[in-house]
Amino acid sequence: MATQLNLSEPSDSDQSSASDQSVSSRSSSRVAEKKKGKSEAEDPFVLSIKYFSRVEAGTPVHGNDEVERHLVLVETVAYRKGLPPEAISVLLEFAMSLRMGTSLCARVLKCLIPATVVPQEAVVRAVVWLGVGKIPMSTQVLFIKWVLTMFDMIDGKDQLRAIYGFIFSFVTEENLCPFICHLLYLLTIKESVRVFRVRKLLELQSKLGRQPFLMHLLSLYKVLCPELVTLSIPSRMRSGFRNHNSTWKSTLMGVQKRNGSQAASSIGLAFTIKDKASSRKRKHGHLQLPALSSVVNKQPQSEPSSSRKLVPLVQLHSFAQLLENMHHIELPAQMGSLLGSSLALQYLDFVQDESALLRLNFWLGYALYEEFLFCGDGGGFQNSDEALQFLNKLLSTENFLQGGFTSSEAFLYKFLTVWDGSLLRPQILALLSNIPVVPSSQIGRLLFEPLMQLFFTSSVFFKCGLVECLNSMLLKWLTWHSVYALEDDLDISLKSYTSINMTLSGFKDSVMDLVHFVGQLASVGLQLEGCHSLLLSFTLDFYETVCDMFLKYGLPLVVMPPPGVFYPTLFATDPISVDRLAYIMYRYKVNLASAKSQEKLTEAFHISSQTFHEFNRYVVVMVNSLWNSRMFKPDMDLKLREELLLKSSVPQYWASFDLIHHPALMSYAVDFHQKCWPERKDMDLNSIKDSKPWIWYLEYLFTQGYDGFKLFFQSNISQKSVADDEQDESLS
């Protein structure tokens, strides 16, 4: 036992050595601290900060070279590498307390460029100084602008929300009201909404009018507590809050770039600084998505606990963690960062937090307006990949959420009036296809008029892209209808988070207007482009959607194609287009037959007799031209004067568009003739019309993959006539 204690206990020499090392260590640490203190004492910047923290109230400014020297040094450091949190606290307290009067206050506020974060306690103390009443109004406005600019760099928001009522009291100041409303908009949570605050905002609205900043704050109140806000909020509002960060933004970008810090990414300021030539055209930079990161750059917890009140999204790394903390999520103040996070999008799609979507719509609308509508001639981004990446990310988000944003919808309506049709065409058309159902009373002014001007003044490739876009738009409208249609009311906009509710009748009117509009575009476009096969193909894609609206999507509406689409397709020179027309007409017949039977069961269901008349007329034309060889006969719907037909010198002109002599099918007829009668030197295509070769020829066509012809003729040609032909052949 003694031996064991001996081994376990240190010897006297060991204890002496350890003691010497401890004394040496303490001595060296004291020396290091002295050196550090001496270096800090000698640091001019530290001395300047100490000066502003200790300067007494009433110290004169004019002729004071000492304060000027210290302030110039602080400005130099701030504009070069930013200010540390302690310096921000000292300088903010100095400026707002007016120790040296009001002359230096604005100058100090303008140089408050943080290197990392802004202490929340300093902001709270500065806000309290607003209540003293000695600060000039211009300085108060400048301070609130600074808070709005640095909002995402503030290391916490709980204390600011604790004085929400104090901040709200400043909405009665007319000059401060727009900026206070913006700050309240960022701070508002459900617990902040109270009846007396709603009444005060409504009272201000009665005095100032329907100001956008008041409407946006009220709209957020209504989302959080709809029972307290009975005011009708318009579904589309112009931007309510202006950009207040121009004073500090470029400086902050330069500071963060030089420091290599990631703090700026959380507020979306990590943009490339443009040269002076382009700065006049593009004064803002909002297209790079802010990163979903913690402003204070804390290490994320390995296992976020659901017992916490709020869990920042940046601390969640898996879907399992998202589910565990679903009702304890703290969203970032810079809502644009949500577009770059798959977990954030899953949260939005699952929870459907209307307040978060409202804020995201505001951020997105502001970015789109500033970068695309208010940037001069657009030279700043025309050749930039930044705009392309931004719109692609927006499209990816909309596809994930299966719906568009109201802000992008409102932006598109304005952008179409100034768009040249070539700038970022694929992205703009894709965004356009995500627009939810537009009421019939507005669709012409918002969509059709600008699109018509673009269509008729652009290339055939733009025409094809636009028809494809409108086909995609129609598909989404019909899909939303088939999924969300209710018995008495139809809410088409559930996934786009708008407030547009329309009846089934209103929805049918909008769809009918869209179909007629595309029909008009296609009719004139095919004439202008000489029945271009590519444009015709996209047009037929659209009508393949239209012909099945009743059976596939449950919409009691059948709209026939106009003659300007039907006849160019029937006379097309490529067999695929003619076959697709036959298939479309077959689907029209199936839908109309089903609609007719449905009409007998319920009186509320009705298809116009004009639709049946148009369909029957088209079918007669197709059967007479392709099957009966009776084109241009007097009883036909398509008529030409006899003298014109004779001048054409076309023999048997009435058979020029049957299945044998049609320009699109003649090559098949020649190939069939050569295979059927290889020994003949003289080719007589009319011999194919004999009953048995005719049956063989039809089978030959059907084996080439032309199922449209097969379905059309099987549904519109009586089997009796075919059987008679076969019987006559067998008797002979």
Side-chain angles (χ1 to χ4, degrees), residues 276-478:
K276 293 182 179 180
S278 63
S279 63
R280 289 175 297 174
K281 296 179 179 179
R282 184 182 180 186
K283 299 180 180 179
H284 309 286
H286 306 86
L287 293 186
Q288 182 171 337
L289 297 181
L292 187 66
S293 60
S294 176
V295 177
V296 296
N297 294 326
K298 292 180 180 178
Q299 293 295 327
Q301 299 176 358
S302 57
E303 293 183 1
S305 172
S306 60
S307 62
R308 293 182 55 190
K309 286 188 176 181
L310 293 176
V311 179
L313 266 174
V314 69
Q315 296 185 8
L316 304 180
H317 306 287
S318 66
F319 187 69
Q321 291 179 339
L322 178 66
L323 291 178
E324 183 182 355
N325 298 276
M326 184 63 71
H327 301 292
H328 307 279
I329 299 296
E330 181 182 25
L331 294 173
Q334 190 67 21
M335 295 301 291
S337 61
L338 298 183
L339 300 183
S341 168
S342 60
L343 282 178
L345 294 180
Q346 288 170 342
Y347 170 79
L348 286 179
D349 191 46
F350 180 79
V351 178
Q352 295 187 5
D353 186 347
E354 293 191 10
S355 62
L357 287 163
L358 191 67
R359 291 174 55 199
L360 180 57
N361 264 304
F362 168 72
W363 178 90
L364 182 60
Y366 191 82
L368 290 170
Y369 273 67
E370 288 292 327
E371 293 298 333
F372 291 93
L373 289 177
F374 303 147
C375 58
D377 60 356
F381 61 84
Q382 238 174 359
N383 300 317
S384 173
D385 291 336
E386 191 179 79
L388 180 65
Q389 294 172 2
F390 177 81
L391 293 182
N392 284 336
K393 179 60 69 174
L394 176 58
L395 281 170
S396 175
T397 301
E398 290 190 350
N399 292 335
F400 182 89
L401 297 176
Q402 298 181 4
F405 293 99
T406 54
S407 53
S408 63
E409 177 188 352
F411 157 75
L412 285 171
Y413 293 147
K414 293 183 179 295
F415 186 68
L416 288 178
T417 60
V418 298
W419 188 37
D420 61 0
S422 61
L423 175 65
L424 300 169
R425 180 193 302 167
Q427 289 72 29
I428 296 299
L429 290 180
L431 286 174
L432 191 63
S433 68
N434 288 333
I435 288 181
V437 180
V438 185
S440 178
S441 59
Q442 304 176 18
I443 194 171
R445 173 179 56 86
L446 296 176
L447 281 181
F448 295 166
E449 291 179 5
L451 289 180
M452 186 177 296
Q453 294 180 7
L454 288 169
F455 185 87
F456 294 130
T457 56
S458 301
S459 66
V460 64
F461 301 105
F462 176 83
K463 293 180 174 67
C464 295
L466 181 58
V467 174
E468 182 186 30
C469 163
L470 296 177
N471 184 29
S472 177
M473 181 189 295
L474 177 62
L475 277 170
K476 291 170 183 176
W477 288 10
L478 295 173

Side-chain angles (χ1 to χ4, degrees), residues 54-290:
R54 297 171 181 174
V55 66
E56 296 181 359
T59 302
V61 177
H62 299 289
N64 191 336
D65 295 336
E66 186 179 13
V67 69
E68 180 66 21
R69 184 178 69 254
H70 288 305
L71 186 54
V72 168
L73 179 59
V74 168
E75 289 174 333
T76 302
V77 174
Y79 294 141
R80 187 176 72 251
K81 60 181 181 181
L83 300 175
E86 298 79 7
I88 294 286
S89 299
V90 170
L91 293 172
L92 196 56
E93 179 73 15
F94 167 79
M96 300 303 290
S97 62
L98 302 180
R99 291 182 195 168
M100 300 183 71
T102 60
S103 57
L104 292 181
C105 188
R107 185 176 170 184
V108 172
L109 286 175
K110 290 178 181 179
C111 73
L112 292 183
I113 308 298
T116 54
V117 298
V118 176
Q120 180 182 201
E121 294 80 2
V123 178
V124 172
R125 287 197 303 269
V127 170
V128 173
W129 277 109
L130 293 177
V132 175
K134 296 180 180 180
I135 304 176
M137 182 57 63
S138 59
T139 305
Q140 295 184 42
V141 171
L142 184 65
F143 166 70
I144 299 299
K145 286 182 178 181
W146 179 83
V147 174
L148 292 172
T149 304
M150 307 302 170
F151 187 83
D152 290 283
M153 302 189 75
I154 301 174
D155 59 5
K157 310 296 188 303
D158 53 334
Q159 295 180 24
L160 282 172
R161 291 194 174 98
I163 60 170
Y164 187 95
F166 179 75
I167 299 174
F168 187 89
S169 64
F170 291 98
V171 296
T172 55
E173 297 287 344
E174 186 173 347
N175 294 327
L176 276 179
C177 187
F179 313 102
I180 292 296
C181 286
H182 192 176
L183 182 57
L184 292 173
Y185 186 91
L186 297 175
L187 292 173
T188 298
I189 56 178
K190 188 170 184 179
E191 290 74 16
S192 308
V193 184
R194 294 290 183 266
V195 176
F196 69 91
R197 289 173 184 154
V198 174
R199 290 175 181 170
K200 176 57 71 175
L201 292 177
L202 293 176
E203 180 183 342
L204 285 172
Q205 188 185 61
S206 64
K207 294 179 180 179
L208 304 177
R210 296 172 70 90
Q211 297 295 334
F213 49 86
L214 291 173
M215 294 299 295
H216 273 279
L217 186 55
L218 282 170
S219 66
L220 180 58
Y221 279 13
K222 185 166 186 176
V223 167
L224 297 173
C225 297
E227 70 280 1
L228 299 182
V229 184
T230 58
L231 180 69
S232 176
I233 305 294
S235 59
R236 299 183 181 92
M237 292 184 293
R238 64 186 180 92
S239 179
F241 306 120
R242 296 179 57 192
N243 182 17
H244 310 306
N245 60 10
S246 57
T247 307
W248 299 273
K249 182 174 181 179
S250 59
T251 306
L252 189 55
M253 285 192 294
V255 167
Q256 298 296 346
K257 185 177 181 181
R258 284 188 292 271
N259 292 347
S261 172
Q262 298 300 319
S265 64
S266 64
I267 62 170
L269 296 175
F271 306 114
T272 303
I273 299 178
K274 306 299 179 182
D275 54 20
K276 293 182 179 180
S278 63
S279 63
R280 289 175 297 174
K281 296 179 179 179
R282 184 182 180 186
K283 299 180 180 179
H284 309 286
H286 306 86
L287 293 186
Q288 182 171 337
L289 297 181

Side-chain angles (χ1 to χ4, degrees), residues 514-583:
L514 178 60
V515 174
H516 285 159
F517 175 68
V518 176
Q520 294 171 5
L521 292 184
S523 299
V524 181
L526 289 171
Q527 295 181 38
L528 293 175
E529 303 297 340
C531 294
H532 197 284
S533 58
L534 192 60
L535 179 58
L536 183 58
S537 176
F538 282 103
T539 303
L540 293 176
D541 287 340
F542 179 80
Y543 279 99
E544 282 184 356
T545 302
V546 174
C547 69
D548 261 331
M549 290 192 299
F550 177 67
L551 286 181
K552 280 190 176 181
Y553 304 100
L555 182 65
L557 180 66
V558 180
V559 184
M560 299 301 299
V565 171
F566 175 81
Y567 287 106
T569 309
L570 179 61
F571 300 145
T573 55
D574 64 293
I576 296 178
S577 296
V578 185
D579 178 73
R580 292 182 68 185
L581 177 64
Y583 174 77

